[in-house]
Amino acid sequence: MDQPAWNRSEGRDHILPVHHPWSFKSVRKFMKKAIWLLPDMDSTGNWYKPGQVYLEKDLILPYVANLDLCDAKCLSSSRRTTLLFFRGRLKRNAGGKIRAKLVEELRGVDGVSIEEGTAGEGGKEAAQSGMRKSIFCLNPAGDTPSSARLFDAIVSGCIPIIVSDELELPFEGILDYRKIALFVSSSDALQPGWLLSFLKSVSTAQIKEMQANLAKYARHFLYSHPAQPLGPEDLVWRMMAGKLVNIKLHTRRSQRVVKGSRSVCTCECRSPNATSPGPLS
């Protein structure tokens, strides 16, 4: 904070990787004007204090996928006989408490596979096999609104069913997630029989279109070295470019305000992302 480069903008033109809910926790109040690279926003207040993170300022990054890419050959040869698949921890805190409720609703239902997750190579193989055999993959909230499971499903060609009302997504100013995922509100998902009826109502044509889109979108979530065009590293900088005008606005404004002026800006974008089933276009 003593550096001239920081003080010229109060950190507004600095980028900090805060890709864990506890990262930088002891110094966040000093760095809240910088651009944070985040796994999610969590507007519930469980992990970030009000005013620390918001879409106007910060960027959401994808998790690193734990599973191998199911390429065009893999997708064409995959026999997806399971309607809905989930493998992971069944009991979570905060918004993740919905997992136990969903398990109670779905366990034992024909065409649905619910498994407790395990770590290590055995767990990875089981998850990869299950996702590649399934049409839809359940992505409920966990301790935080996001998880790596979403990106595992995308690279596996399994259509994500997102049940996480506070979720924010990477690069949403560039990518339209309605083309590759279905968004379901928690209240709808917990109604007896509702989720299965909803999934069975999705037409074969819609499923094929979304699977084709998953194959196209997977490249946007695969980190690589060197970075590839339209990969996540490239999309970070494309999203960052869209913030430059706003960064300059606040920097110049902070440099010219005089003592006693109204210096509080109220243009922050902090509205939560409430989800509900939407069109598949």
Side-chain angles (χ1 to χ4, degrees), residues 97-129:
K97 292 178 180 179
I98 192 174
R99 289 192 185 185
K101 297 176 182 178
L102 286 170
V103 169
E104 185 179 344
E105 168 68 20
L106 296 170
R107 177 167 272 168
V109 175
D110 187 43
V112 176
S113 177
I114 303 288
E115 303 173 1
E116 178 74 37
T118 55
E121 283 299 312
K124 174 183 174 180
E125 291 175 5
Q128 183 160 288
S129 174

Side-chain angles (χ1 to χ4, degrees), residues 43-56:
S43 58
T44 62
N46 290 319
W47 300 107
Y48 307 108
K49 292 183 178 179
Q52 285 184 338
V53 297
Y54 45 94
L55 289 175
E56 180 196 44

Side-chain angles (χ1 to χ4, degrees), residues 7-194:
N7 288 324
R8 72 188 175 203
S9 67
E10 298 180 288
R12 290 183 175 89
D13 57 0
H14 284 57
I15 302 168
L16 302 176
V18 191
H19 213 251
H20 188 280
W22 292 340
S23 297
F24 286 85
K25 197 167 186 180
S26 63
V27 296
R28 286 178 179 178
K29 62 182 178 181
F30 305 112
M31 299 184 169
K32 63 182 181 181
K33 293 181 181 179
I35 301 165
W36 293 10
L37 305 181
L38 298 159
D40 54 46
M41 291 286 177
D42 188 21
S43 58
T44 62
N46 290 319
W47 300 107
Y48 307 108
K49 292 183 178 179
Q52 285 184 338
V53 297
Y54 45 94
L55 289 175
E56 180 196 44
K57 176 177 75 74
D58 304 311
L59 273 178
I60 306 296
L61 297 188
Y63 288 76
V64 176
N66 296 310
L67 307 184
D68 300 327
L69 174 65
C70 186
D71 57 19
K73 183 179 180 181
C74 164
L75 289 169
S76 64
S77 62
S78 297
R79 296 188 61 222
R80 298 183 183 268
T81 55
T82 301
L83 177 66
L84 181 65
F85 176 78
F86 174 82
R87 181 180 175 84
R89 299 298 182 188
L90 303 182
K91 293 183 179 180
R92 296 279 82 178
N93 298 315
K97 292 178 180 179
I98 192 174
R99 289 192 185 185
K101 297 176 182 178
L102 286 170
V103 169
E104 185 179 344
E105 168 68 20
L106 296 170
R107 177 167 272 168
V109 175
D110 187 43
V112 176
S113 177
I114 303 288
E115 303 173 1
E116 178 74 37
T118 55
E121 283 299 312
K124 174 183 174 180
E125 291 175 5
Q128 183 160 288
S129 174
M131 286 190 171
R132 290 187 178 188
K133 291 178 181 177
S134 303
I135 299 171
F136 300 109
C137 283
L138 185 63
N139 288 267
D143 291 340
T144 60
S146 65
S147 74
R149 183 174 297 99
L150 169 61
F151 307 101
D152 289 342
I154 291 172
V155 302
S156 299
C158 187
I159 299 169
I161 306 302
I162 297 175
V163 187
S164 182
D165 297 346
E166 303 296 334
L167 179 66
E168 299 292 353
L169 294 162
F171 321 132
E172 198 164 10
I174 298 172
L175 306 177
D176 185 353
Y177 283 84
R178 295 174 301 169
K179 293 183 178 181
I180 62 169
L182 297 173
F183 295 84
V184 176
S185 69
S186 299
S187 57
D188 283 339
L190 293 176
Q191 292 182 37
W194 188 94

